[in-house]
Amino acid sequence: MNIPQAFDIQKILDRITDGFIALDKNFCYTYVNKKAGELVRRDPLSLIGKNVWEEFPEAVDSSTYYAFLQAMNEQNYIVNRDYFPPLDLWQENHIYPSPEGLFIFIRNITEQKRAEDKIRLKVNLLNAVGQAVIATDMDGIINYWNNAAEKMYGWSMTEVIGNNITQLVTTKDRRDKIVNKVKALDNGNSWSEEVVVCRKDKNSFPAFITSSALPDEAGKLVGIIEVSIDISERKMAEANLKLLENKIVEQKIQEQKKISRAIIHAQEKEKNYIGLELHDNANQILAGAKIYLTVAANNDKNIKKILEYPMQLISSSMEAIRMLSHKQATPLKNINLEQLVRGLLKVFHKDKRTNSDFVYLVSGHLFNDGLKLNIYRIIQELVINIIKHAAAKNINISIKEKDNNIEIIVTDDGKGFDVNSKRNGIGISNIINRIEAFNGAISIKSSPGNGCQTIVSMPMINTLAQVQIE
């Protein structure tokens, strides 16, 4: 097979950028253009008449070898790509058959393949990293989406290419904010933030996102690359750690309250002991002294007149001790809270300057003796403060069940006070300590001239370990 020798055709074939060769049906060269000679590093004229497989035996059994045979046998156009190691040449062969042989255009694609390999390497590297890597243009249109992004967000690359990233993965309430931040990126700068994003299934999750601007060779921003890390597990761990810390703090608080309850119990026992001693010992001594003085006075009228005032002092002391004993000593078991409070109010009724009203609506079996005694001491402290400082005419006390709590309300129509002003004395502090020890809460409403209302609420059934009354 011979190439026509017309000057214009040969000139054209020598000027094309692809290599061109012609082979006869025995695969011998009949024509080699200048570019083909450069590709195989041979003088084109030196190849004329020679067999291609003898000149390049390394190509036997290659993809090109079988493509030539197939095109010749089937008389069909074939294109193939092949690498020829001796020349470090990637070639793309367009093979046109004829009954007389083959015409082959050979394109050098070595640089293209190397660029493709670099791109493939980068893609493989990006697919190998655990973070989701997404590339977009400056308008947020996705042009790259690695395997980790597919796994994290649920969309495949084919589903997302050409779509706007903010419409896919950003929650509606944060969309505008993120778009504005990304647009504000300068060349070489980056933006990082924890963001709530969406999966394909519409479920949201927290992610740490870093967005960086991508400039071209001239420095113009042409795109944005975004790296996303799913921080759900980290957030859950942080939340669990916070819960654990809070639990530890709560345990410490409850332990402190348990200690406070034990202290309160010890104080009650000590008060009870002091009250009994005053009543049974000191009062008996004074009663004995009074008897002796009475006998002496009855035997001598002059002495009787002298002893009249000391005996009045002894009687007053005995009454004061009885009142103090009653205040200090309370039962420690089988406490009847209603009876204790009514007894307290009965004592103050003797004053006749203050009226009281008491409502008790509680099922006694629902809370223990320790809590009952604590409530009594709180009411006792509040009533004493009212009598001493409020100049009240009326005191109203109610103890009721409310939402599994005991609610104690004490109101008076006395002078009132500014709840925000600093107050001296330990009365209110003692009340607050007692309430906190039993996981309760207190609210005080008052203002000058408008009386006072104190509301105390404490759990009816305390799930914490209670101090046992002995």
Side-chain angles (χ1 to χ4, degrees):
M1 179 181 65
N2 295 315
I3 297 295
Q5 295 299 311
F7 175 79
D8 55 344
I9 296 177
Q10 184 173 344
K11 187 176 181 180
I12 291 171
L13 292 175
D14 279 337
R15 290 174 64 87
I16 63 175
T17 57
D18 290 340
F20 175 80
I21 64 174
L23 302 176
D24 63 21
K25 55 187 176 182
N26 295 316
F27 300 101
C28 291
Y29 289 102
T30 60
Y31 181 79
V32 181
N33 77 345
K34 181 179 179 181
K35 186 63 177 178
E38 291 175 358
L39 291 177
V40 297
R41 302 172 192 174
R42 297 284 189 91
D43 180 5
L45 294 177
S46 69
L47 293 173
I48 302 301
K50 295 179 180 179
N51 184 279
V52 64
W53 310 127
E54 292 178 357
E55 292 301 308
F56 301 100
E58 299 89 350
V60 176
D61 289 330
S62 67
S63 171
T64 299
Y65 175 80
Y66 290 109
F68 282 14
L69 292 180
Q70 182 181 355
M72 183 72 79
N73 293 333
E74 298 178 1
Q75 289 295 295
N76 288 324
Y77 164 74
I78 291 177
V79 61
N80 84 300
R81 288 187 172 192
D82 196 8
Y83 178 65
F84 189 55
L87 297 176
D88 190 23
L89 174 67
W90 274 97
Q91 58 192 28
E92 181 179 273
N93 301 310
H94 295 261
I95 308 165
Y96 298 88
S98 77
E100 296 179 354
L102 301 174
F103 298 102
I104 303 114
F105 288 89
I106 306 170
R107 180 170 297 166
N108 183 357
I109 59 170
T110 302
E111 292 303 319
Q112 178 184 336
K113 288 294 293 183
R114 286 174 179 168
E116 289 176 356
D117 288 343
K118 288 181 180 179
I119 293 172
R120 188 177 296 106
L121 175 61
K122 291 178 180 179
V123 169
N124 289 336
L125 288 173
L126 291 174
N127 282 332
V129 300
Q131 291 82 20
V133 180
I134 304 168
T136 73
D137 63 16
M138 292 305 295
D139 294 321
I141 303 302
I142 300 170
N143 51 48
Y144 177 74
W145 182 274
N146 75 343
N147 291 344
E150 291 186 356
K151 183 178 179 181
M152 182 181 295
Y153 292 104
W155 283 281
S156 67
M157 182 184 288
T158 55
E159 290 178 303
V160 300
I161 295 299
N163 288 295
N164 191 291
I165 186 171
T166 59
Q167 300 300 320
L168 290 179
V169 305
T170 308
T171 56
K172 290 183 179 180
D173 59 326
R174 298 184 61 82
R175 194 165 291 162
D176 292 340
K177 179 181 178 181
I178 292 176
V179 169
N180 292 334
K181 281 194 172 185
V182 171
K183 284 185 176 180
L185 290 173
D186 293 324
N187 186 13
N189 292 340
S190 62
W191 160 79
S192 298
E193 189 177 36
E194 292 183 4
V195 178
V196 176
V197 292
C198 294
R199 293 189 178 92
K200 183 179 179 180
D201 60 9
K202 303 301 182 183
N203 288 325
S204 59
F205 65 97
F208 184 80
I209 294 179
T210 299
S211 296
S212 301
L214 295 176
D216 60 14
E217 293 181 356
K220 180 183 178 182
L221 298 184
V222 294
I224 295 167
I225 188 164
E226 178 180 290
V227 179
S228 305
I229 304 173
D230 186 345
I231 57 173
S232 300
E233 291 185 0
R234 192 191 83 188
K235 284 291 185 182
M236 187 176 295
E238 289 176 354
N240 289 337
L241 179 60
K242 186 67 176 178
L243 286 174
L244 181 60
E245 290 174 348
N246 290 341
K247 187 176 181 180
I248 292 172
V249 170
E250 181 62 23
Q251 286 176 343
K252 289 182 178 178
I253 291 172
Q254 295 304 330
E255 285 298 319
Q256 186 61 46
K257 289 180 179 180
K258 186 178 178 181
I259 293 171
S260 297
R261 291 194 292 271
I263 292 172
I264 290 171
H265 173 58
Q267 290 173 342
E268 291 297 338
K269 291 181 71 174
E270 185 66 20
K271 285 180 179 180
N272 214 50
Y273 174 77
I274 293 171
L276 292 174
E277 283 296 307
L278 286 172
H279 184 273
D280 297 341
N281 192 1
N283 246 16
Q284 296 304 317
I285 293 173
L286 290 173
K290 185 177 179 181
I291 290 172
Y292 279 108
L293 290 175
T294 300
V295 171
N298 289 335
N299 291 332
D300 190 325
K301 291 182 179 181
N302 293 326
I303 294 177
K304 182 177 182 179
K305 191 171 183 179
I306 295 172
L307 294 178
E308 183 176 344
Y309 180 65
M311 289 176 66
Q312 290 177 359
L313 292 177
I314 290 175
S315 296
S316 297
S317 297
M318 291 175 66
E319 181 62 24
I321 289 174
R322 275 195 295 270
M323 291 185 65
L324 182 59
S325 298
H326 181 74
K327 179 182 176 182
Q328 294 293 326
T330 57
L332 296 178
K333 287 186 177 182
N334 301 318
I335 294 173
N336 188 320
L337 178 58
E338 180 181 11
Q339 189 177 41
L340 282 177
V341 175
R342 292 193 185 281
L344 174 67
L345 296 177
K346 186 177 180 180
V347 172
F348 291 111
H349 281 166
K350 294 178 181 179
D351 190 313
K352 298 190 182 298
R353 291 179 298 175
T354 306
N355 298 317
S356 64
D357 181 65
F358 178 46
V359 177
Y360 186 87
L361 298 172
V362 181
S363 301
H365 66 282
L366 292 179
F367 59 116
N368 61 33
D369 288 336
L371 182 56
K372 290 177 185 177
L373 184 56
N374 196 51
I375 291 172
Y376 171 70
R377 290 302 186 193
I378 291 169
I379 292 173
Q380 185 182 51
E381 188 74 44
L382 289 171
V383 171
I384 290 173
N385 285 341
I386 292 170
I387 298 298
K388 283 184 176 180
H389 307 295
K393 294 181 179 179
N394 297 287
I395 302 174
N396 297 311
I397 301 172
S398 69
I399 303 175
K400 299 179 181 180
E401 298 177 25
K402 184 179 180 181
D403 300 329
N404 294 321
N405 288 334
I406 299 291
E407 184 180 71
I408 305 104
I409 302 177
V410 179
T411 60
D412 69 75
D413 58 358
K415 296 186 294 185
F417 58 91
D418 182 0
V419 294
N420 295 316
S421 64
K422 184 177 180 180
R423 295 183 298 277
N424 296 322
I426 62 172
I428 190 65
S429 297
N430 287 339
I431 291 171
I432 292 173
N433 289 338
R434 285 181 176 275
I435 292 168
E436 289 181 347
F438 284 82
N439 294 324
I442 182 172
S443 170
I444 301 175
K445 297 179 182 179
S446 182
S447 61
N450 293 310
C452 178
Q453 180 186 66
T454 302
I455 302 175
V456 176
S457 178
M458 288 191 284
M460 190 179 298
I461 300 175
N462 203 321
T463 57
L464 300 173
Q466 294 294 319
V467 176
Q468 295 300 316
I469 303 296
E470 298 176 353

